[in-house]
């Protein structure tokens, strides 16, 4: 039962693995009253023991105004104290922040203003910010025309390109590494509205970090690597590592932007230890899973100085690990070694329903195919996970439509 001082929390986009983790820790372990939302009933996090009620909303990407209407209704009917967005629905919420604050003044909106979100979300603007703060960024060519694109992809023998607003390991083109040639160069035509970044392919180790920030001060920080990834894209095993370089980078960015909310970074660590800044995700990522419930709860609601997650903690998305082993039987020993000692994100302390619903939620792939007209592809499982909660780069400054 929730304690008398328990917060009333609304978590949006409950399907995401890190949402499942935060829901379990805040709702089940810490006893807060927690409402979860998503656009479909099979969402894994919505069936955690930590959830008091699952409420469906309109899809924020396709129906942003109706989505915000739905959220406002929940904030008031459920007397919500804290709104914690889990994915890119945060952009649609921030775009109508003034309307939400006026309609639900009792709720703390734990995310920054729209302009700050847009700045870090655009990889070109984020790179400029990092350079201005003295943070390392790989040499980059920004392409807004077909001609620039062709020239940039011929600049280096080995190169790597990403859409400025791409996410989730999608919209990537390279001639080197495991994704080489998966997307033809001719398939990309950058524009001023949808630019692409081309960089020399740097060899090193991918790292990520997760932080909780209040008024520009980092109060919880974890840095982690992916001993195992799904289809050479998103990580499915997460292991905490040392935090010094990543923490220093996040502290600079958080202070410069006077950030409040959850924030995550991606890095490429070169052999000499240099942490090249890659991108920012203005939301939680898997790094929250290697923090304890006490650490997360304190950082969010009662911050008291800085807490860093020590190296050696390990979590995994077990169903994805098993899928990887079945698809790659020759790599079973390697996969087993990568997952050894990792706790499960979807099963924690007897909270097994998120794991069951992670399988049932695969029907959302069919919804993705129908909405996007996609055939089967390697990107399908990743894209289907969040096609209706992505920020698509559209203009958000106009506010709700009439």
């Amino acid at each position: 039962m929730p304690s008398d001082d328990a917060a009333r929390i609304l978590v949006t986009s409950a399907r995401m693995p890190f949402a499942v983790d935060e829901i379990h820790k805040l709702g089940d372990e810490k006893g807060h009253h927690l409402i979860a939302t998503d656009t479909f009933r099979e969402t894994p996090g919505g069936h955690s023991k930590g959830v008091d009620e699952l409420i469906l909303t309109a899809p924020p990407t396709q129906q942003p105004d109706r989505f915000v209407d739905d959220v406002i209704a929940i904030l008031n009917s459920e007397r919500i104290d804290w709104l914690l967005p889990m994915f890119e629905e945060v952009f649609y919420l921030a775009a109508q922040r003034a309307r939400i604050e006026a309609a639900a003044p009792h709720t703390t909106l734990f995310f920054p203003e729209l302009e700050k979100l847009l700045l870090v979300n655009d990889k070109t603007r984020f790179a400029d910010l990092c350079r201005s703060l003295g943070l390392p960024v790989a040499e980059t060519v920004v392409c807004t025309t077909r001609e620039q694109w062709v020239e940039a992809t011929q600049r280096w023998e080995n190169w790597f390109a990403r859409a400025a607003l791409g996410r989730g390991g999608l919209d990537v083109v390279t001639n080197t590494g495991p994704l080489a040639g998966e997307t033809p160069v001719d398939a990309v035509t950058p524009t001023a509205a949808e630019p692409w970044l081309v960089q020399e392919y740097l060899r090193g180790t991918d790292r990520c970090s997760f932080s909780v920030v209040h008024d520009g001060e980092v109060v919880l920080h974890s840095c982690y690597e992916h001993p195992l990834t799904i289809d050479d894209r998103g990580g499915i095993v997460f292991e905490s590592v040392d935090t010094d370089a990543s923490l220093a980078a996040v502290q600079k960015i958080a202070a410069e932007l006077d950030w409040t909310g959850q924030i995550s970074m991606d890095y490429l660590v070169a052999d000499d230890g240099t942490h090249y800044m890659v991108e920012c995700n203005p939301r939680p990522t898997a790094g929250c899973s290697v923090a304890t419930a006490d650490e997360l709860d304190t950082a969010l609601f009662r911050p008291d100085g800085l807490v860093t997650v020590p190296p050696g903690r390990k979590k995994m998305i077990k169903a994805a690990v098993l899928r990887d082993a079945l698809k790659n039987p020759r790599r079973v020993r390697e996969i087993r070694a990568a997952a050894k000692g990792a706790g499960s994100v979807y099963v924690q302390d007897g909270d097994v329903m998120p794991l069951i619903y992670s399988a049932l939620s695969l029907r959302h792939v069919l919804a993705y195919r129908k909405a996007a007209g996609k055939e089967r592809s390697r990107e399908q499982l990743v894209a289907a996970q969040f096609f209706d909660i992505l920020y698509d780069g559209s203009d958000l400054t106009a506010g709700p439509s009439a």
Side-chain angles (χ1 to χ4, degrees):
M1 295 291 291
S3 62
D4 292 339
D5 61 349
R8 299 181 67 86
I9 302 168
L10 176 61
V11 166
T12 51
S13 294
R15 74 188 72 176
M16 304 307 292
F18 33 88
V20 173
D21 182 79
E22 292 201 6
I23 286 169
H24 176 84
K25 286 172 178 171
L26 298 176
D28 189 31
E29 292 192 50
K30 302 307 297 183
H32 296 293
H33 184 89
L34 197 145
I35 305 297
T37 76
D38 214 320
T39 66
F40 65 110
R41 192 158 298 280
E42 293 86 356
T43 176
H47 299 275
S48 167
K49 287 169 58 180
V51 169
D52 289 274
E53 185 178 359
L54 168 64
I55 301 177
L56 301 188
T57 69
T61 303
Q62 289 77 25
Q63 301 178 53
D65 296 345
R66 184 177 163 194
F67 166 69
V68 173
D69 288 341
D70 290 344
V71 169
I72 288 174
I74 297 168
L75 297 180
N76 285 311
S77 65
E78 300 295 332
R79 307 185 310 282
I80 297 298
D81 301 314
W82 290 78
L83 172 55
L84 303 180
M86 291 291 122
F87 201 65
E88 293 193 355
E89 76 281 4
V90 67
F91 289 92
Y92 303 100
L93 294 169
Q96 300 190 42
R97 186 184 190 106
R99 185 161 76 95
I100 299 171
E101 289 176 332
H106 56 283
T107 303
T108 296
L109 309 183
F110 197 63
F111 52 88
E113 295 76 11
L114 178 62
E115 177 52 34
K116 297 175 184 178
L117 292 169
L118 294 175
L119 190 159
V120 300
N121 183 65
D122 185 328
K123 294 182 181 68
T124 60
R125 297 179 67 194
F126 177 67
D128 290 341
L129 171 66
C130 291
R131 291 189 189 96
S132 73
L133 297 174
L135 298 171
V137 179
E139 183 181 357
T140 303
V141 176
V142 179
C143 304
T144 58
T145 68
R146 177 74 180 175
E147 292 72 23
Q148 291 173 343
W149 168 254
V150 172
E151 182 180 350
T153 57
Q154 296 173 351
R155 180 168 180 165
W156 296 284
E157 179 181 357
N158 300 311
W159 54 267
F160 181 85
R162 298 169 293 145
L165 296 175
R167 279 297 181 271
L170 306 176
D171 300 315
V172 169
V173 182
T174 182
N175 70 344
T176 308
L179 299 179
E182 184 175 300
T183 301
V185 173
D186 292 343
V188 175
T189 301
T191 65
E194 298 182 352
W196 278 68
L197 288 73
V198 182
Q199 299 172 321
E200 183 178 11
Y201 188 96
L202 298 178
R203 299 189 183 277
T205 302
D206 292 326
R207 277 191 177 182
C208 304
S209 69
F210 160 77
S211 307
V212 177
V213 185
H214 290 266
D215 300 320
E217 180 184 357
V218 178
V219 296
L220 176 63
H221 182 79
S222 70
C223 188
Y224 60 103
E225 295 180 359
H226 303 121
L228 195 64
T229 62
I230 182 170
D231 297 336
D232 300 307
R233 297 180 188 275
I236 54 177
V237 176
F238 321 105
E239 183 171 11
S240 60
V241 295
D242 65 90
T243 62
D244 290 351
S246 62
L247 174 59
V250 176
Q251 286 175 324
K252 283 187 177 183
I253 293 170
E256 177 69 17
L257 299 180
D258 191 26
W259 192 273
T260 289
Q262 303 182 77
I263 189 169
S264 304
M265 304 285 174
D266 290 352
Y267 316 84
L268 190 286
V269 184
D271 291 341
D272 64 359
T274 300
H275 282 55
Y276 287 94
M277 307 301 295
V278 175
E279 68 178 58
C280 173
N281 291 300
R283 53 171 174 82
T285 51
C288 67
S289 70
V290 293
T292 67
D294 285 341
E295 289 167 347
L296 180 65
D297 182 65
T298 299
L300 287 171
F301 309 125
R302 295 175 302 282
D304 184 22
L306 171 65
V307 174
T308 58
V309 172
R313 295 182 185 174
K314 209 169 184 180
K315 285 292 185 70
M316 66 175 165
I317 302 175
K318 192 170 184 178
V321 172
L322 293 174
R323 170 185 176 270
D324 200 45
L326 291 172
K327 285 186 63 178
N328 303 282
R330 295 182 180 180
R331 295 179 53 235
V332 167
R333 185 173 297 178
E334 173 190 344
I335 293 168
R336 185 181 300 168
K340 185 177 180 180
S344 174
V345 171
Y346 282 104
V347 178
Q348 301 187 47
D349 298 331
D351 192 4
V352 300
M353 295 307 289
L355 177 61
I356 294 172
Y357 277 89
S358 69
L360 296 176
S361 69
L362 291 177
R363 80 158 186 89
H364 208 52
V365 173
L366 300 177
Y368 165 66
R369 286 189 202 167
K370 181 177 180 180
K374 297 285 186 181
E375 299 297 329
R376 298 185 65 86
S377 72
R378 289 187 70 192
E379 294 185 351
Q380 184 170 268
L381 280 175
V382 179
Q385 187 177 37
F386 43 64
F387 79 95
D388 55 350
I389 54 175
L390 270 174
Y391 168 52
D392 58 8
S394 60
D395 181 20
L396 296 172
T397 59
S401 59

